[in-house]
Amino acid sequence: MFDLTGKSALITGASGGIGGAIAHALHGAGATVGLSGTREAPLAALAEELGDRAHVLPCNLSDAEAVTALPKQAAEALGSVDILVNNAGITRDNLFMRMSDEEWQSVLDVNLSATFRLCKGVLRGMMKARWGRIVNISSVVGATGNPGQGNYAAAKAGMVGMSKSLAYEVASRGITVNAVAPGFIETAMTEKLTDDQKAGILGQIPTGRMGTPAEIGAAVLYLSSPEAAYVTGTVLHVNGGMAML
Amino acid sequence: MSDIADRVKKIVVEHLSVDEDKVTESASFIDDLGADSLDTVELVMAFEEEFGIEIPDDAAETIQTFGDAVKFISDAQ
């Protein structure tokens, strides 16, 4: 089950905790992976760890031209892009009343506009192949909101509406478009929280623990698989029950 | 019929699964040949590859009929 042998996947934000776990999951199922991110060193380290079938494709997602060029570079390196995982994301948290235009725009650019451009860039190949999987990594806060994250929540909710619209358009071509919405996951980002903050968060999670990056990787693997052909336009919430949507 | 028209017709017939004699000069891809809007995008992609040309989005929107396609490609060559 969930065999991706012969498929190629482009994963953005692969240098992060969740991105790395997604790369491991898809690569472990037999896919060739293109690891994209801003920092080249961790990408190279991940590629080395994975061994064969791993390519490093550095890209600054706040640079629109670089983003537009990435799908083509990926197709050249990987042979094709059958699976796209838009995982890269940044935060620029601030109270709404203090949020600058720059904080708003930079988060929208990287989290939402780059996702739009990458989806657009891989569609031609997927349409011709009559097969494709796009998995956009949203967030629980896109559905619930979160104080201090007006920009991030807007971008993550925007990804969901965009995914659903695109899912309608390309479903007849064998292409599915879905979102995964992680809750609190153990990453470098959540490690910075104080023990009090962690205790507060855990109190809201029925499973009583944070999720692991591998649990997000598994969700992405499912949605990327041939078995998930009948699942499109959906959001798979992986949040330990903290928001039952 | 020109070579370009023949090649365009072959793509249209194959992609839309229509009879060759329905693909007339004035046949509209959407109204007469049963294409949906995404089919027209795919046809333009196929034309670009067959003829090694770039068809910008605003030009693609003006290609509504078989005749439009043949004329655009002939002019572009």
Side-chain angles (χ1 to χ4, degrees):
Chain A
M1 209 176 226
F2 306 156
D3 182 5
L4 299 180
T5 305
K7 303 290 188 201
S8 296
L10 171 61
I11 301 149
T12 68
S15 52
I18 292 177
I22 293 168
H24 270 283
L26 302 187
H27 186 269
T32 298
V33 293
L35 310 171
S36 192
T38 313
R39 294 167 297 147
E40 193 163 353
L43 295 175
L46 177 60
E48 195 170 325
E49 195 183 324
L50 293 173
D52 291 343
R53 294 182 281 112
H55 302 260
V56 174
L57 300 161
C59 180
N60 176 3
L61 291 186
S62 56
D63 177 345
E65 271 180 42
V67 174
T68 305
L70 180 60
K72 204 171 170 206
Q73 289 164 358
E76 277 165 13
L78 310 175
S80 62
V81 179
D82 309 298
I83 300 162
L84 169 66
V85 184
N86 284 301
N87 165 70
I90 60 166
T91 55
R92 295 281 184 275
D93 297 357
N94 209 341
L95 285 178
F96 205 97
M97 290 188 70
R98 295 187 189 281
M99 186 171 288
S100 68
D101 282 3
E102 197 276 331
E103 285 166 334
W104 171 265
Q105 196 59 49
S106 60
V107 167
L108 268 287
D109 282 349
V110 172
N111 297 12
L112 186 58
S113 301
T115 297
F116 158 72
R117 292 194 180 97
L118 292 176
C119 286
K120 200 173 161 189
V122 301
L123 279 173
R124 178 179 279 240
M126 290 180 179
M127 298 242 294
K128 282 183 68 179
R130 289 287 190 268
W131 200 94
R133 297 283 182 271
I134 295 175
V135 183
N136 292 324
I137 307 302
S138 179
S139 166
V140 65
V141 308
T144 62
N146 199 25
Q149 291 200 306
N151 49 2
Y152 187 76
K156 292 300 186 182
M159 286 173 95
V160 171
M162 191 196 75
S163 299
K164 290 179 178 181
S165 303
L166 178 56
Y168 266 109
E169 292 185 21
V170 297
S172 64
R173 271 45 173 194
I175 303 168
T176 67
V177 187
N178 292 289
V180 170
F184 281 96
I185 306 299
E186 291 167 355
T187 62
M189 215 190 281
T190 49
E191 249 172 46
K192 288 181 200 152
L193 299 169
T194 64
D195 285 349
D196 279 355
Q197 284 174 315
K198 278 187 190 168
I201 289 164
L202 293 181
Q204 296 166 31
I205 304 175
T207 46
R209 64 172 178 86
M210 290 199 187
T212 65
E215 286 167 328
I216 303 303
V220 174
L221 171 58
Y222 167 61
L223 293 172
S224 302
S225 70
E227 284 83 354
Y230 203 55
V231 180
T232 195
T234 195
V235 183
L236 179 48
H237 289 274
V238 184
N239 62 30
M242 85 176 265
M244 301 194 187
L245 302 160
Chain B
M1 188 177 271
S2 72
D3 169 56
I4 288 174
D6 280 343
R7 287 156 71 191
V8 171
K9 182 173 280 190
K10 187 160 176 283
I11 290 169
V12 172
V13 165
E14 275 175 13
H15 192 88
L16 301 179
S17 305
V18 290
D19 287 339
E20 205 176 314
D21 51 1
K22 284 202 174 167
V23 186
T24 59
E25 178 86 15
S26 62
S28 156
F29 295 125
I30 289 176
D31 296 334
D32 302 316
L33 301 176
D36 63 23
S37 53
L38 197 56
D39 286 319
T40 63
V41 174
E42 288 189 299
L43 280 173
V44 166
M45 279 164 43
F47 298 152
E48 287 180 330
E49 269 168 42
E50 171 73 18
F51 297 97
I53 55 173
E54 284 259 339
I55 305 179
D57 288 345
D58 53 349
E61 283 168 20
T62 67
I63 300 175
Q64 307 278 342
T65 67
F66 172 65
D68 291 342
V70 174
K71 181 170 186 312
F72 183 90
I73 293 161
S74 303
D75 291 348
Q77 293 243 308

